[in-house]
Amino acid sequence: LKHQQLQPDIICYSVLNAAHAAKGDIEAVKGFLKQCLEAQLEPDQASYGSLVKAYAHTNYIADAEGVLTNMRDCQVAPNLKIYTTLMNACARIGHIDAAERTLSSLVQQRLQPDS
């Protein structure tokens, strides 16, 4: 892309981040937001969602929770899918306290859990 003087957008970075997560390359995942900021791209709900999914996939629950905090700090509201992605990961690895914190946060945001 750079050779053709094209600037990757937030979708490109999100897809690449998901690929790193699938490979278990957590260091690349951790650099995702930094790369976005360096490229002067504003992460959106979908890109934050891919980051939560990446951390959840690799069982980095505290980092996934930190993404939700970062989202709120940046005035980007987590949606139901992001919350349930995190809750599913917490339940899968037995982090019941983290799942309960996530559910509490979901309720505080006035989102309704679905079935």
Side-chain angles (χ1 to χ4, degrees), residues 86-105:
L86 180 53
M87 287 177 58
N88 285 333
C90 293
R92 185 182 73 244
I93 62 173
H95 286 214
I96 304 306
D97 290 343
E100 289 175 348
R101 279 193 309 272
T102 304
L103 178 60
S104 176
S105 182

Side-chain angles (χ1 to χ4, degrees), residues 20-38:
H20 284 299
K23 289 290 221 177
D25 185 356
I26 199 63
E27 292 307 314
V29 170
K30 287 183 176 190
F32 172 71
L33 287 178
K34 182 180 177 193
Q35 287 178 344
C36 290
L37 295 174
E38 287 174 355

Side-chain angles (χ1 to χ4, degrees), residues 4 13 21 26 41 45 47-48 53 58 61 65-66 72 84 87 89 94 101 110:
Q4 296 177 352
Y13 282 96
I26 199 63
L41 296 172
Q45 194 176 61
S47 56
Y48 277 115
K53 184 176 179 179
T58 54
I61 301 304
E65 289 179 308
R72 285 186 220 100
T84 56
M87 287 177 58
R101 279 193 309 272
R110 296 196 170 102

